[in-house]
């Protein structure tokens, strides 16, 4: 048999035929390195595809730049290697054909560089990507100042901030007060225990405000009754809670007592703690009710 002959598939692979001392089945087994079942798969492919099988030596294939047609097969008579054409690549550029598993198995990638990663082309073929594992990020690496285990710094209860270049770092509470221009305080209160109105000293400390010193007390409205029996030598002192010796007060009769109040020429002339003293020119003959407003 000539090593460069092209045979029709059915004639070459007829399992009942012969070629000298070699049966058709044995020839395929030697050529493809396959089992009898694999031979039948190749035969079936030839019958369905009307494909051709071209046999040459490895050296002849190495020098041949002919592109094998899609589904044509080329075999090396001296090595038994079989390759299936795709209509694009030469025999040298094709991968070894494995008839025992023709879907998804790749024996080698043509023109590949040792150590490079493989990639898929748009037509589903595998090619040399031109990249090695070292060209990509390693499994463990840092992001800025965050370690590969997700940590930043070694101190607890720190605040994470970004620098002008986006680098992350940690700062203490004192550092953050300075960064945010918050006044520093040597001591602090866990809670405010002062009752009433609170005043500050300008340095962050708090204390209770004093009525009449830090603020005017709110006005208090009350009433007092000047009884007929309460007058003594045209004077009468009544209890008025909230009155002091220094606060300002307003006194005026209620409407029902105003005529008698002014007729008797009554007026308040003195104040003491919780009391007011009234005098009159003529002792009133009826009880007088007066409104009192303590201004503070």
């Amino acid at each position: 048999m000539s090593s460069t002959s092209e045979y029709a598939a059915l004639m070459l692979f007829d399992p009942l035929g012969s070629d000298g001392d070699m049966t058709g089945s044995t020839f395929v087994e030697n050529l493809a390195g396959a089992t009898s079942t694999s031979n039948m798969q190749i035969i079936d492919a030839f019958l369905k595809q009307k494909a051709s099988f071209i046999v040459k030596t490895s050296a002849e294939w190495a020098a041949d730049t002919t592109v094998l047609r899609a589904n044509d097969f080329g075999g090396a008579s001296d090595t038994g290697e079989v390759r299936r054409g795709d209509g694009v690549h030469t025999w040298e550029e094709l991968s070894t054909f494995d008839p025992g598993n023709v879907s998804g198995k790749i024996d080698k990638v043509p023109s590949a560089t040792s150590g490079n990663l493989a990639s898929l082309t748009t037509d589903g073929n595998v090619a040399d990507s031109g990249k090695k594992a070292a060209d990509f990020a390693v499994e463990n690496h840092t992001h800025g100042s965050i370690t590969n285990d997700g940590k930043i710094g070694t101190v607890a209860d720190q605040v994470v901030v970004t620098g002008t270049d986006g680098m992350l770092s940690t700062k203490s509470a004192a550092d953050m007060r300075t960064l945010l221009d918050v006044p520093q305080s040597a001591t602090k209160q866990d809670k405010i225990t002062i009752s009433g109105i609170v005043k500050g000293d300008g340095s962050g400390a708090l204390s209770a405000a004093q009525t009449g010193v830090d603020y005017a007390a709110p006005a208090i409205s009350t009433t007092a009754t000047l009884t007929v029996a309460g007058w003594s030598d045209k004077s009468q002192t009544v209890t008025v809670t909230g009155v002091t010796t220094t606060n300002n007060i307003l006194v005026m009769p209620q409407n029902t007592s105003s005529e008698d109040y002014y007729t008797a020429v009554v007026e308040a002339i003195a104040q003491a703690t919780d009391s007011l003293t009234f005098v009159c020119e003529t002792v009133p003959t009826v009880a007088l009710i007066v409104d009192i407003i303590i201004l503070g």
Side-chain angles (χ1 to χ4, degrees), residues 183-214:
Q184 305 286 333
S185 176
T187 60
K188 66 177 182 179
Q189 293 178 223
D190 292 331
K191 62 180 180 178
I192 297 175
T193 58
I194 301 170
S195 298
I197 298 176
V198 178
K199 69 176 181 178
D201 64 358
S203 299
L206 300 176
S207 61
Q210 300 179 19
T211 305
V213 177
D214 300 307

Side-chain angles (χ1 to χ4, degrees), residues 44-100:
D44 183 62
F46 278 126
L47 292 175
K48 291 180 178 179
Q49 305 284 348
K50 295 184 175 61
S52 297
F53 199 106
I54 304 173
V55 180
K56 298 183 181 182
T57 64
S58 297
E60 289 172 333
W61 279 123
D64 194 336
T65 59
T66 304
V67 173
L68 284 175
R69 296 181 305 171
N71 295 320
D72 276 2
F73 289 83
S77 58
D78 51 344
T79 64
E81 186 177 2
V82 177
R83 299 185 186 184
R84 184 175 183 175
D86 59 4
V88 177
H89 298 92
T90 66
W91 191 91
E92 275 290 291
E93 296 171 336
L94 295 169
S95 300
T96 299
F97 176 73
D98 181 359

